[in-house]
Amino acid sequence: MTLLWFNLILGTLLEVVGDIFFKKHWLWWGMFFYTAGTFFWAYALRLGELSKLIVIFSVLNLVLAVFAGLIIFNEQLSYTQWIGIGLGLASVILLSI
């Protein structure tokens, strides 16, 4: 795994953890993880192209947050929403080719 992907994925994971803490009303922990994720995201931006990275970051953030919602908060998705997630993942794959 390259340094770019490491920073992009770690930045995304940390921001999703921040989302989870915000949802649980733990504001300070949420801010801590968001800030940490932003540092890794900013470093990834130095290594890659913004036009590609922003889509990959956004979709990965969305997918991980959705799975956190499903697993941690017992949220439900419709078939249409599952299709949307699949299309989002397809866009990440196409952009990383």
Side-chain angles (χ1 to χ4, degrees):
M1 178 185 307
T2 66
L3 190 58
L4 177 123
W5 280 99
F6 173 79
N7 283 286
L8 181 64
I9 291 170
L10 186 57
T12 305
L13 285 171
L14 289 169
E15 291 208 5
V16 170
V17 170
D19 289 333
I20 293 167
F21 281 117
F22 283 139
K23 174 106 172 136
K24 291 186 173 236
H25 303 287
W26 295 347
L27 179 66
W28 294 109
W29 281 110
M31 288 174 54
F32 170 78
F33 282 104
Y34 253 57
T35 302
T38 300
F39 283 112
F40 287 98
W41 166 238
Y43 192 72
L45 285 175
R46 293 185 65 212
L47 302 172
E49 300 174 39
L50 174 64
S51 59
K52 291 181 183 177
L53 293 180
I54 191 67
V55 175
I56 295 169
F57 176 80
S58 298
V59 171
L60 287 178
N61 194 308
L62 169 92
V63 169
L64 292 173
V66 166
F67 283 121
L70 291 170
I71 294 166
I72 297 169
F73 302 110
N74 296 318
E75 298 173 351
Q76 302 295 317
L77 294 178
S78 69
Y79 292 115
T80 306
Q81 291 166 324
W82 279 110
I83 291 169
I85 290 170
L87 291 172
L89 289 173
S91 72
V92 168
I93 292 167
L94 291 172
L95 281 169
S96 58
I97 293 177

Coordinates of all heavy atoms in Angstrom, one line a residue:
M1 N 0.9 -1.2 0.0 CA 0.0 0.0 0.0 C 0.9 1.2 0.0 O 1.8 1.3 0.8 CB -0.9 0.0 1.2 CG -1.8 1.2 1.3 SD -2.8 1.3 2.9 CE -3.6 -0.2 2.9
T2 N 0.6 2.1 -0.9 CA 1.4 3.3 -0.9 C 1.1 4.3 0.2 O 0.0 4.2 0.9 CB 1.2 4.1 -2.3 OG1 -0.2 4.6 -2.3 CG2 1.4 3.1 -3.5
L3 N 1.9 5.3 0.4 CA 1.8 6.3 1.4 C 0.5 7.1 1.2 O -0.2 7.4 2.1 CB 3.0 7.2 1.5 CG 3.1 8.2 2.6 CD1 3.0 7.4 3.9 CD2 4.3 9.0 2.5
L4 N 0.2 7.3 -0.1 CA -1.1 8.1 -0.4 C -2.3 7.3 0.1 O -3.2 7.9 0.8 CB -1.2 8.3 -1.9 CG -2.5 9.0 -2.3 CD1 -2.2 10.3 -3.1 CD2 -3.3 8.1 -3.2
W5 N -2.4 6.0 -0.3 CA -3.6 5.2 0.1 C -3.6 5.0 1.7 O -4.7 5.1 2.2 CB -3.5 3.9 -0.6 CG -4.0 4.0 -2.0 CD1 -3.3 4.0 -3.1 CD2 -5.4 4.0 -2.4 NE1 -4.1 4.2 -4.2 CE2 -5.4 4.2 -3.8 CE3 -6.6 4.0 -1.7 CZ2 -6.6 4.3 -4.5 CZ3 -7.8 4.1 -2.4 CH2 -7.8 4.2 -3.8
F6 N -2.5 4.9 2.3 CA -2.4 4.8 3.7 C -3.1 6.0 4.4 O -3.9 5.9 5.3 CB -1.0 4.6 4.2 CG -0.9 4.6 5.7 CD1 -1.2 3.5 6.5 CD2 -0.4 5.8 6.4 CE1 -1.1 3.5 7.9 CE2 -0.3 5.8 7.7 CZ -0.6 4.7 8.5
N7 N -2.6 7.2 4.0 CA -3.1 8.4 4.5 C -4.6 8.6 4.2 O -5.4 9.1 5.0 CB -2.3 9.6 4.1 CG -1.0 9.7 4.8 OD1 -0.9 10.0 6.0 ND2 0.1 9.2 4.2
L8 N -5.0 8.3 3.0 CA -6.4 8.5 2.6 C -7.3 7.6 3.4 O -8.3 8.1 3.9 CB -6.5 8.2 1.1 CG -7.9 8.4 0.5 CD1 -8.3 9.8 0.5 CD2 -7.9 7.9 -1.0
I9 N -6.9 6.3 3.5 CA -7.8 5.4 4.2 C -7.8 5.7 5.7 O -8.9 5.7 6.4 CB -7.4 3.9 4.0 CG1 -7.7 3.6 2.5 CG2 -8.0 3.0 4.9 CD1 -7.1 2.3 2.0
L10 N -6.6 6.0 6.3 CA -6.6 6.3 7.7 C -7.4 7.6 8.0 O -8.1 7.7 9.0 CB -5.2 6.4 8.2 CG -5.0 6.6 9.7 CD1 -5.7 5.5 10.5 CD2 -3.5 6.7 10.1
G11 N -7.2 8.6 7.2 CA -8.0 9.8 7.4 C -9.5 9.6 7.3 O -10.2 10.1 8.1
T12 N -9.9 8.8 6.4 CA -11.3 8.4 6.3 C -11.8 7.7 7.5 O -12.9 8.0 8.0 CB -11.6 7.6 5.0 OG1 -11.1 8.3 3.8 CG2 -13.1 7.3 4.8
L13 N -11.1 6.7 7.9 CA -11.5 5.9 9.1 C -11.6 6.8 10.3 O -12.5 6.7 11.1 CB -10.4 4.8 9.4 CG -10.5 3.6 8.5 CD1 -9.3 2.7 8.7 CD2 -11.8 2.8 8.7
L14 N -10.6 7.7 10.5 CA -10.7 8.6 11.7 C -11.9 9.5 11.7 O -12.5 9.8 12.7 CB -9.4 9.3 11.8 CG -8.1 8.5 12.2 CD1 -6.9 9.3 12.1 CD2 -8.3 8.0 13.7
E15 N -12.2 10.0 10.5 CA -13.4 10.9 10.4 C -14.7 10.1 10.6 O -15.6 10.6 11.2 CB -13.4 11.6 9.0 CG -12.2 12.6 9.0 CD -12.5 13.8 8.1 OE1 -13.6 13.9 7.6 OE2 -11.6 14.6 8.0
V16 N -14.7 8.8 10.2 CA -15.9 8.0 10.5 C -16.0 7.8 12.0 O -17.1 7.8 12.5 CB -15.9 6.7 9.6 CG1 -17.0 5.8 10.1 CG2 -16.1 7.1 8.2
V17 N -14.9 7.5 12.6 CA -14.9 7.3 14.1 C -15.4 8.6 14.7 O -16.2 8.6 15.7 CB -13.5 6.9 14.6 CG1 -13.5 7.0 16.1 CG2 -13.2 5.5 14.1
G18 N -15.0 9.8 14.2 CA -15.5 11.0 14.7 C -17.0 11.1 14.5 O -17.7 11.6 15.4
D19 N -17.5 10.7 13.4 CA -19.0 10.7 13.1 C -19.7 9.9 14.2 O -20.8 10.3 14.7 CB -19.3 10.1 11.8 CG -18.9 11.1 10.6 OD1 -18.9 12.3 10.8 OD2 -18.7 10.5 9.5
I20 N -19.1 8.7 14.5 CA -19.8 7.8 15.5 C -19.8 8.5 16.9 O -20.9 8.5 17.5 CB -19.0 6.5 15.6 CG1 -19.2 5.7 14.3 CG2 -19.5 5.7 16.8 CD1 -18.3 4.5 14.1
F21 N -18.7 9.1 17.3 CA -18.7 9.8 18.5 C -19.7 11.0 18.5 O -20.3 11.3 19.6 CB -17.3 10.3 18.9 CG -16.5 9.2 19.5 CD1 -15.3 8.8 18.8 CD2 -16.8 8.6 20.7 CE1 -14.5 7.8 19.3 CE2 -16.0 7.5 21.2 CZ -14.9 7.1 20.5
F22 N -19.8 11.7 17.4 CA -20.8 12.8 17.4 C -22.2 12.3 17.5 O -23.0 12.9 18.2 CB -20.7 13.6 16.0 CG -19.5 14.5 16.0 CD1 -18.8 14.7 14.8 CD2 -19.2 15.4 17.0 CE1 -17.7 15.5 14.7 CE2 -18.1 16.2 17.0 CZ -17.4 16.3 15.8
K23 N -22.5 11.2 16.9 CA -23.8 10.6 17.0 C -24.1 10.2 18.4 O -25.3 10.2 18.9 CB -23.9 9.4 16.0 CG -25.2 8.6 16.1 CD -26.1 8.8 15.0 CE -27.2 7.8 15.0 NZ -28.5 8.5 14.7
K24 N -23.1 9.7 19.2 CA -23.3 9.4 20.6 C -23.2 10.6 21.5 O -23.2 10.4 22.7 CB -22.3 8.3 20.9 CG -22.5 7.0 20.3 CD -21.5 6.0 20.8 CE -21.8 4.6 20.2 NZ -22.1 3.6 21.2
H25 N -23.2 11.8 20.9 CA -23.1 13.0 21.7 C -21.8 13.2 22.5 O -21.9 13.8 23.6 CB -24.4 13.2 22.6 CG -25.6 13.1 21.8 ND1 -26.1 14.1 21.0 CD2 -26.6 12.1 21.7 CE1 -27.2 13.8 20.4 NE2 -27.5 12.6 20.9
W26 N -20.7 12.6 22.0 CA -19.4 12.8 22.7 C -18.7 13.8 21.8 O -17.8 13.4 21.1 CB -18.7 11.4 22.8 CG -19.4 10.5 23.7 CD1 -20.4 10.7 24.6 CD2 -19.1 9.1 23.8 NE1 -20.8 9.6 25.2 CE2 -20.0 8.5 24.8 CE3 -18.2 8.2 23.2 CZ2 -20.0 7.2 25.1 CZ3 -18.2 6.9 23.6 CH2 -19.1 6.4 24.5
L27 N -19.0 15.0 22.0 CA -18.5 16.1 21.1 C -17.0 16.1 21.1 O -16.3 16.2 20.0 CB -19.1 17.4 21.6 CG -18.6 18.6 20.8 CD1 -19.1 18.6 19.4 CD2 -19.1 19.9 21.4
W28 N -16.3 16.1 22.2 CA -14.9 16.3 22.3 C -14.1 15.2 21.6 O -13.1 15.4 20.9 CB -14.4 16.5 23.7 CG -14.9 17.8 24.3 CD1 -15.9 18.0 25.2 CD2 -14.6 19.1 23.8 NE1 -16.2 19.3 25.4 CE2 -15.4 20.1 24.6 CE3 -13.7 19.6 22.9 CZ2 -15.3 21.4 24.4 CZ3 -13.6 21.0 22.7 CH2 -14.4 21.9 23.5
W29 N -14.6 13.9 21.8 CA -14.0 12.8 21.2 C -14.2 12.9 19.6 O -13.3 12.6 18.9 CB -14.5 11.5 21.7 CG -13.9 11.1 23.0 CD1 -14.5 11.1 24.2 CD2 -12.5 10.7 23.2 NE1 -13.6 10.7 25.2 CE2 -12.4 10.4 24.6 CE3 -11.4 10.5 22.4 CZ2 -11.2 10.0 25.2 CZ3 -10.2 10.1 23.0 CH2 -10.1 9.9 24.3
G30 N -15.4 13.3 19.3 CA -15.6 13.5 17.8 C -14.7 14.5 17.2 O -14.2 14.3 16.1
M31 N -14.5 15.6 17.9 CA -13.6 16.7 17.4 C -12.2 16.2 17.3 O -11.5 16.5 16.3 CB -13.8 17.9 18.2 CG -15.1 18.6 18.0 SD -15.3 20.0 19.2 CE -13.9 21.0 18.9
F32 N -11.8 15.4 18.3 CA -10.4 14.8 18.3 C -10.2 14.0 17.1 O -9.2 14.1 16.3 CB -10.2 14.0 19.6 CG -8.9 13.3 19.5 CD1 -7.7 13.9 19.7 CD2 -8.9 11.9 19.3 CE1 -6.5 13.2 19.7 CE2 -7.7 11.2 19.2 CZ -6.5 11.8 19.4
F33 N -11.1 13.0 16.8 CA -10.9 12.1 15.7 C -11.1 12.8 14.3 O -10.4 12.5 13.4 CB -11.9 10.9 15.8 CG -11.4 9.9 16.8 CD1 -12.0 9.8 18.0 CD2 -10.4 9.1 16.5 CE1 -11.6 8.9 19.0 CE2 -9.9 8.1 17.4 CZ -10.5 8.0 18.6
Y34 N -12.0 13.8 14.3 CA -12.1 14.6 13.0 C -10.8 15.4 12.8 O -10.3 15.4 11.6 CB -13.2 15.6 13.2 CG -14.4 15.3 12.4 CD1 -15.1 14.0 12.5 CD2 -15.0 16.2 11.4 CE1 -16.2 13.7 11.8 CE2 -16.1 15.8 10.7 CZ -16.7 14.6 10.9 OH -17.8 14.3 10.1
T35 N -10.2 15.9 13.8 CA -9.0 16.7 13.6 C -7.8 15.8 13.2 O -7.1 16.1 12.3 CB -8.6 17.4 14.9 OG1 -9.7 18.3 15.3 CG2 -7.3 18.2 14.8
A36 N -7.7 14.6 13.8 CA -6.7 13.6 13.5 C -6.9 13.2 12.0 O -5.9 13.1 11.2 CB -6.7 12.5 14.4
G37 N -8.1 12.9 11.6 CA -8.4 12.5 10.3 C -8.1 13.6 9.3 O -7.6 13.3 8.2
T38 N -8.3 14.8 9.6 CA -8.0 15.9 8.7 C -6.5 16.0 8.4 O -6.1 16.3 7.3 CB -8.5 17.2 9.3 OG1 -9.9 17.1 9.5 CG2 -8.2 18.4 8.4
F39 N -5.6 15.7 9.4 CA -4.2 15.8 9.1 C -3.8 14.7 8.1 O -3.0 15.0 7.2 CB -3.4 15.5 10.5 CG -3.4 16.8 11.3 CD1 -4.0 16.8 12.5 CD2 -2.7 17.9 10.9 CE1 -4.0 17.9 13.3 CE2 -2.6 19.0 11.7 CZ -3.3 19.0 12.9
F40 N -4.3 13.5 8.2 CA -4.0 12.4 7.3 C -4.6 12.8 5.9 O -4.0 12.5 4.9 CB -4.5 11.1 7.8 CG -3.7 10.6 8.9 CD1 -4.1 10.7 10.2 CD2 -2.4 9.9 8.6 CE1 -3.3 10.2 11.3 CE2 -1.7 9.4 9.7 CZ -2.1 9.6 11.0
W41 N -5.8 13.3 5.9 CA -6.4 13.7 4.6 C -5.6 14.8 3.9 O -5.4 14.7 2.7 CB -7.9 14.2 4.9 CG -8.5 14.9 3.8 CD1 -9.1 16.1 3.9 CD2 -8.8 14.5 2.5 NE1 -9.6 16.5 2.7 CE2 -9.5 15.5 1.8 CE3 -8.6 13.3 1.8 CZ2 -9.9 15.4 0.5 CZ3 -9.0 13.2 0.5 CH2 -9.7 14.2 -0.2
A42 N -5.2 15.8 4.7 CA -4.4 16.9 4.1 C -3.0 16.3 3.5 O -2.6 16.8 2.5 CB -4.1 17.9 5.2
Y43 N -2.4 15.4 4.2 CA -1.2 14.8 3.7 C -1.4 14.0 2.4 O -0.6 14.1 1.5 CB -0.5 13.9 4.8 CG 0.9 13.6 4.4 CD1 1.9 14.5 4.4 CD2 1.2 12.3 4.0 CE1 3.2 14.2 4.0 CE2 2.5 12.0 3.6 CZ 3.5 13.0 3.6 OH 4.8 12.6 3.2
A44 N -2.5 13.3 2.4 CA -2.9 12.6 1.2 C -3.1 13.5 0.0 O -2.7 13.2 -1.1 CB -4.2 11.7 1.4
L45 N -3.7 14.7 0.3 CA -3.8 15.7 -0.8 C -2.5 16.2 -1.4 O -2.4 16.5 -2.5 CB -4.7 16.9 -0.3 CG -6.1 16.6 -0.1 CD1 -6.8 17.9 0.5 CD2 -6.8 16.3 -1.4
R46 N -1.5 16.2 -0.5 CA -0.2 16.6 -1.0 C 0.4 15.6 -2.0 O 1.3 15.9 -2.8 CB 0.8 16.8 0.2 CG 0.4 18.0 1.1 CD 1.4 18.2 2.1 NE 2.7 18.6 1.5 CZ 3.9 18.4 2.0 NH1 4.0 17.7 3.1 NH2 5.0 18.8 1.4
L47 N 0.0 14.3 -1.8 CA 0.5 13.3 -2.6 C -0.3 12.9 -3.9 O 0.2 12.2 -4.7 CB 0.6 12.0 -1.8 CG 1.5 12.1 -0.5 CD1 1.3 10.9 0.4 CD2 2.9 12.4 -0.8
G48 N -1.5 13.4 -4.0 CA -2.3 13.0 -5.1 C -3.1 14.1 -5.7 O -2.9 15.3 -5.4
E49 N -4.0 13.8 -6.6 CA -4.8 14.8 -7.3 C -6.2 15.0 -6.6 O -6.9 14.0 -6.3 CB -5.1 14.3 -8.8 CG -3.9 14.1 -9.6 CD -4.2 13.5 -10.9 OE1 -5.3 13.8 -11.5 OE2 -3.5 12.6 -11.4
L50 N -6.5 16.2 -6.3 CA -7.7 16.6 -5.6 C -8.9 16.0 -6.3 O -9.8 15.5 -5.7 CB -7.8 18.1 -5.4 CG -9.1 18.6 -4.8 CD1 -9.3 18.1 -3.4 CD2 -9.2 20.1 -4.9
S51 N -9.0 16.2 -7.6 CA -10.2 15.8 -8.4 C -10.5 14.3 -8.2 O -11.7 13.9 -8.3 CB -10.0 16.1 -9.9 OG -8.9 15.4 -10.4
K52 N -9.5 13.4 -8.0 CA -9.7 12.0 -7.8 C -9.9 11.7 -6.3 O -10.8 10.9 -6.0 CB -8.6 11.2 -8.4 CG -8.5 11.2 -9.9 CD -7.3 10.3 -10.3 CE -7.2 10.4 -11.9 NZ -6.1 9.6 -12.3
L53 N -9.1 12.3 -5.5 CA -9.1 12.0 -4.1 C -10.4 12.4 -3.4 O -10.8 11.7 -2.5 CB -7.9 12.6 -3.4 CG -6.5 12.0 -3.8 CD1 -5.4 12.7 -3.0 CD2 -6.5 10.5 -3.5
I54 N -10.9 13.5 -3.8 CA -12.1 14.0 -3.1 C -13.3 13.0 -3.3 O -14.1 12.7 -2.4 CB -12.5 15.4 -3.5 CG1 -13.6 15.9 -2.6 CG2 -13.0 15.5 -5.0 CD1 -13.2 16.2 -1.2
V55 N -13.4 12.4 -4.5 CA -14.4 11.4 -4.8 C -14.2 10.2 -4.0 O -15.1 9.6 -3.4 CB -14.5 11.1 -6.3 CG1 -15.5 10.0 -6.6 CG2 -14.9 12.4 -7.1
I56 N -13.0 9.7 -4.0 CA -12.6 8.5 -3.3 C -12.9 8.7 -1.8 O -13.5 7.8 -1.1 CB -11.2 8.0 -3.6 CG1 -11.0 7.6 -5.0 CG2 -10.8 6.9 -2.7 CD1 -9.6 7.4 -5.5
F57 N -12.4 9.8 -1.2 CA -12.6 10.1 0.2 C -14.1 10.2 0.5 O -14.5 9.6 1.5 CB -11.9 11.4 0.5 CG -12.1 11.9 1.9 CD1 -11.4 11.3 3.0 CD2 -13.0 12.8 2.2 CE1 -11.6 11.8 4.3 CE2 -13.2 13.3 3.5 CZ -12.5 12.7 4.5
S58 N -14.8 10.8 -0.3 CA -16.3 11.0 0.0 C -17.0 9.7 0.0 O -17.8 9.4 0.9 CB -16.9 12.0 -1.0 OG -16.3 13.3 -0.9
V59 N -16.7 8.9 -1.0 CA -17.5 7.6 -1.2 C -17.0 6.7 0.0 O -17.9 6.0 0.6 CB -17.3 7.0 -2.6 CG1 -17.8 5.6 -2.6 CG2 -17.9 7.9 -3.6
L60 N -15.7 6.6 0.2 CA -15.3 5.7 1.3 C -15.9 6.2 2.7 O -16.3 5.3 3.5 CB -13.8 5.7 1.4 CG -13.1 4.9 0.3 CD1 -11.5 5.0 0.5 CD2 -13.5 3.4 0.3
N61 N -15.9 7.5 2.9 CA -16.5 8.0 4.1 C -18.0 7.6 4.2 O -18.4 7.2 5.2 CB -16.3 9.5 4.1 CG -16.6 10.1 5.5 OD1 -17.6 9.9 6.1 ND2 -15.7 10.9 5.9
L62 N -18.7 7.8 3.1 CA -20.1 7.4 3.1 C -20.3 5.9 3.3 O -21.1 5.6 4.2 CB -20.7 7.8 1.7 CG -22.1 7.2 1.4 CD1 -23.1 8.3 1.9 CD2 -22.2 6.9 0.0
V63 N -19.6 5.1 2.7 CA -19.7 3.6 2.8 C -19.4 3.2 4.2 O -20.2 2.4 4.9 CB -18.9 2.9 1.8 CG1 -18.8 1.4 2.1 CG2 -19.4 3.1 0.4
L64 N -18.3 3.7 4.8 CA -17.9 3.3 6.1 C -18.9 3.8 7.2 O -19.3 3.1 8.1 CB -16.5 3.8 6.5 CG -15.4 3.1 5.7 CD1 -14.1 3.8 6.0 CD2 -15.3 1.6 6.0
A65 N -19.4 5.0 7.0 CA -20.4 5.6 7.9 C -21.7 4.8 7.8 O -22.4 4.6 8.8 CB -20.7 7.1 7.6
V66 N -22.1 4.4 6.6 CA -23.3 3.6 6.4 C -23.2 2.2 7.2 O -24.1 1.8 7.9 CB -23.6 3.3 5.0 CG1 -24.7 2.2 4.8 CG2 -24.2 4.6 4.3
F67 N -22.0 1.6 7.0 CA -21.8 0.3 7.7 C -21.7 0.5 9.2 O -22.2 -0.4 9.9 CB -20.6 -0.4 7.2 CG -20.8 -1.1 5.8 CD1 -20.1 -0.7 4.7 CD2 -21.8 -2.0 5.7 CE1 -20.3 -1.3 3.5 CE2 -22.1 -2.6 4.4 CZ -21.3 -2.3 3.4
A68 N -21.2 1.6 9.7 CA -21.2 1.9 11.1 C -22.6 2.0 11.6 O -23.0 1.6 12.6 CB -20.4 3.1 11.4
G69 N -23.4 2.7 10.8 CA -24.9 2.9 11.1 C -25.6 1.6 11.2 O -26.4 1.3 12.1
L70 N -25.3 0.7 10.3 CA -25.9 -0.6 10.2 C -25.5 -1.5 11.4 O -26.3 -2.1 12.1 CB -25.6 -1.4 8.9 CG -26.1 -0.8 7.6 CD1 -25.5 -1.5 6.5 CD2 -27.6 -1.0 7.6
I71 N -24.2 -1.5 11.7 CA -23.7 -2.4 12.8 C -23.9 -1.8 14.2 O -24.3 -2.5 15.1 CB -22.2 -2.7 12.5 CG1 -22.1 -3.4 11.2 CG2 -21.6 -3.4 13.6 CD1 -20.7 -3.5 10.6
I72 N -23.5 -0.5 14.3 CA -23.5 0.0 15.7 C -24.9 0.6 16.1 O -25.3 0.4 17.2 CB -22.5 1.2 15.8 CG1 -21.1 0.6 15.6 CG2 -22.6 1.9 17.1 CD1 -20.0 1.6 15.4
F73 N -25.6 1.2 15.2 CA -26.9 1.8 15.5 C -28.1 1.1 15.0 O -29.2 1.6 15.1 CB -26.9 3.3 15.0 CG -25.7 4.1 15.6 CD1 -24.7 4.5 14.7 CD2 -25.7 4.4 16.9 CE1 -23.6 5.2 15.3 CE2 -24.7 5.2 17.4 CZ -23.6 5.6 16.6
N74 N -27.9 -0.1 14.4 CA -29.0 -0.9 13.9 C -29.9 -0.2 12.9 O -31.1 -0.4 12.9 CB -29.8 -1.5 15.0 CG -29.0 -2.4 15.9 OD1 -28.3 -3.2 15.4 ND2 -29.2 -2.3 17.2
E75 N -29.3 0.7 12.0 CA -30.1 1.4 11.0 C -30.4 0.4 9.9 O -29.7 -0.6 9.7 CB -29.4 2.6 10.6 CG -29.1 3.6 11.7 CD -28.3 4.8 11.3 OE1 -27.6 4.8 10.2 OE2 -28.2 5.7 12.1
Q76 N -31.4 0.8 9.0 CA -31.8 -0.1 7.9 C -31.6 0.7 6.6 O -31.7 1.9 6.6 CB -33.3 -0.5 8.1 CG -33.6 -1.2 9.4 CD -32.9 -2.6 9.4 OE1 -32.9 -3.3 8.5 NE2 -32.4 -2.9 10.6
L77 N -31.4 -0.1 5.5 CA -31.2 0.5 4.2 C -32.2 -0.2 3.2 O -32.5 -1.4 3.4 CB -29.8 0.3 3.6 CG -28.7 1.0 4.3 CD1 -27.4 0.6 3.6 CD2 -28.9 2.5 4.3
S78 N -32.7 0.6 2.3 CA -33.6 0.0 1.2 C -32.7 -0.6 0.1 O -31.5 -0.3 0.1 CB -34.5 1.1 0.7 OG -33.7 2.0 -0.1
Y79 N -33.3 -1.3 -0.8 CA -32.6 -1.9 -1.9 C -32.0 -0.8 -2.8 O -30.9 -0.9 -3.3 CB -33.5 -2.8 -2.8 CG -33.9 -4.0 -2.0 CD1 -35.3 -4.2 -1.7 CD2 -33.0 -5.0 -1.7 CE1 -35.7 -5.4 -1.0 CE2 -33.4 -6.1 -1.0 CZ -34.7 -6.3 -0.7 OH -35.1 -7.4 0.0
T80 N -32.7 0.3 -2.9 CA -32.2 1.4 -3.7 C -31.0 2.0 -3.1 O -30.0 2.4 -3.8 CB -33.3 2.5 -3.8 OG1 -34.5 1.9 -4.4 CG2 -32.8 3.6 -4.8
Q81 N -30.9 2.1 -1.8 CA -29.8 2.6 -1.1 C -28.6 1.7 -1.2 O -27.4 2.1 -1.4 CB -30.1 2.9 0.4 CG -31.1 4.1 0.6 CD -31.6 4.1 1.9 OE1 -31.9 3.1 2.6 NE2 -31.9 5.4 2.4
W82 N -28.8 0.4 -1.2 CA -27.7 -0.6 -1.4 C -27.2 -0.5 -2.8 O -25.9 -0.5 -3.0 CB -28.2 -2.0 -1.2 CG -28.3 -2.4 0.2 CD1 -29.4 -2.6 1.0 CD2 -27.2 -2.6 1.1 NE1 -29.1 -2.9 2.3 CE2 -27.7 -3.0 2.4 CE3 -25.8 -2.6 1.0 CZ2 -26.9 -3.3 3.5 CZ3 -25.0 -2.9 2.0 CH2 -25.5 -3.2 3.3
I83 N -28.0 -0.2 -3.8 CA -27.6 0.0 -5.2 C -26.7 1.2 -5.2 O -25.7 1.3 -5.9 CB -28.8 0.0 -6.2 CG1 -29.4 -1.3 -6.3 CG2 -28.3 0.6 -7.5 CD1 -30.8 -1.3 -7.0
G84 N -27.1 2.3 -4.6 CA -26.3 3.5 -4.5 C -25.0 3.3 -3.9 O -24.0 3.8 -4.4
I85 N -24.9 2.5 -2.9 CA -23.6 2.2 -2.3 C -22.7 1.4 -3.3 O -21.5 1.7 -3.4 CB -23.8 1.5 -1.0 CG1 -24.4 2.4 0.1 CG2 -22.4 0.9 -0.5 CD1 -24.8 1.7 1.3
G86 N -23.3 0.5 -3.9 CA -22.6 -0.3 -4.9 C -22.0 0.6 -6.1 O -20.9 0.4 -6.5
L87 N -22.9 1.5 -6.5 CA -22.4 2.4 -7.6 C -21.3 3.4 -7.1 O -20.4 3.7 -7.8 CB -23.6 3.3 -8.1 CG -24.6 2.5 -8.9 CD1 -25.8 3.4 -9.2 CD2 -24.0 1.9 -10.2
G88 N -21.4 3.8 -5.8 CA -20.3 4.6 -5.3 C -19.0 3.8 -5.2 O -18.0 4.4 -5.5
L89 N -19.1 2.6 -4.8 CA -17.9 1.8 -4.8 C -17.3 1.5 -6.2 O -16.1 1.5 -6.4 CB -18.1 0.4 -4.1 CG -18.4 0.5 -2.6 CD1 -18.8 -0.8 -2.0 CD2 -17.1 1.0 -1.9
A90 N -18.2 1.4 -7.1 CA -17.7 1.2 -8.5 C -17.0 2.5 -9.0 O -16.0 2.4 -9.7 CB -18.9 0.9 -9.4
S91 N -17.5 3.6 -8.6 CA -16.8 4.9 -8.9 C -15.4 5.0 -8.3 O -14.5 5.4 -9.0 CB -17.6 6.1 -8.6 OG -17.6 6.3 -7.1
V92 N -15.2 4.5 -7.1 CA -13.9 4.5 -6.5 C -13.0 3.5 -7.3 O -11.8 3.9 -7.5 CB -14.0 4.0 -5.0 CG1 -12.6 3.7 -4.4 CG2 -14.7 5.1 -4.2
I93 N -13.5 2.4 -7.6 CA -12.7 1.4 -8.4 C -12.2 2.0 -9.7 O -11.1 2.0 -10.1 CB -13.4 0.1 -8.6 CG1 -13.6 -0.6 -7.2 CG2 -12.7 -0.8 -9.6 CD1 -14.5 -1.8 -7.2
L94 N -13.2 2.6 -10.4 CA -12.9 3.3 -11.7 C -11.9 4.4 -11.6 O -11.0 4.6 -12.5 CB -14.2 3.7 -12.4 CG -15.1 2.6 -12.9 CD1 -16.4 3.2 -13.4 CD2 -14.4 1.8 -14.0
L95 N -12.0 5.2 -10.6 CA -11.1 6.3 -10.4 C -9.7 5.9 -10.0 O -8.7 6.6 -10.2 CB -11.6 7.3 -9.3 CG -12.7 8.2 -9.8 CD1 -13.3 9.0 -8.7 CD2 -12.1 9.2 -10.8
S96 N -9.6 4.7 -9.3 CA -8.3 4.3 -8.9 C -7.5 3.4 -9.9 O -6.4 3.0 -9.7 CB -8.4 3.5 -7.6 OG -9.2 2.4 -7.7
I97 N -8.1 3.2 -11.1 CA -7.5 2.5 -12.2 C -6.5 3.4 -12.9 O -6.7 4.5 -13.1 CB -8.5 1.9 -13.1 CG1 -9.4 0.8 -12.5 CG2 -7.8 1.3 -14.4 CD1 -10.5 0.3 -13.3

